[in-house]
Each structure stands twice: as structure tokens, then as C-alpha cells.
Amino acid sequence: MESYVSERVTNLSDLETTVEMALLTEEELQHEMEKARASTDRISALAKKLHDQLQMAKDFELCIERRKTICPDANSGLL
């Protein structure tokens, strides 16, 4: 009998969500810094939020699902 192993990442969408949130925070930060009367408190809060989100993405652990499939031989009569 022939067998093969397949793998897939089961939580990739969680990482994508974290990165998307960081991108939105970066846009908010950029917008705040472009204001004529930018709030330093708001800039500090957004910078901390962005740092935390990027740290979460950096430390993210992928979950990999592994499956072993056994294929019966064509001549074995098992289908």
C-alpha cells in the first residue's frame, strides 16, 4: 500500500487578521500625524497599539495539521 502525508496550516486566518489590524492602526497613526493639531497622547496610544499588534504577529505560532493517507494498491481489491 502506498501512503502520503499532507499538511495544512489551520490558523493562518488568525495571523492575517492580526496583520490587517496592524495595517489599520498604522493608517490611523499616519492620519493623526498628518493633522495640523495632532494629539501626542493619541499618537503615543496608537504607536503602542501598533507595537503590540506587530509583536503578536511576530510571536504567532502556526498550527499545522498533518494527515497520513493510505492508498490501497490497485491490485489488492480494496477500494
Side-chain angles (χ1 to χ4, degrees), residues 27-72:
E27 288 176 9
E28 282 184 80
L29 180 58
Q30 193 75 319
H31 179 72
E32 185 65 35
M33 292 187 324
E34 290 171 355
K35 288 182 179 178
R37 298 182 141 225
S39 165
T40 55
D41 289 341
R42 176 94 170 120
I43 290 172
S44 293
L46 287 169
K48 181 180 180 343
K49 182 179 177 181
L50 180 58
H51 172 79
D52 292 346
Q53 290 167 328
L54 292 173
Q55 191 68 42
M56 190 184 323
K58 180 181 121 352
D59 295 339
F60 191 84
E61 290 190 28
L62 296 172
C63 292
I64 299 175
E65 178 182 88
R66 179 176 288 167
R67 291 182 180 182
K68 183 174 183 179
T69 304
I70 300 173
C71 303

Side-chain angles (χ1 to χ4, degrees), residues 10-25:
T10 60
N11 64 339
L12 190 57
S13 64
D14 295 338
L15 178 57
E16 291 171 337
T17 299
T18 300
V19 171
E20 287 171 5
M21 289 180 356
L23 286 170
L24 291 173
T25 301

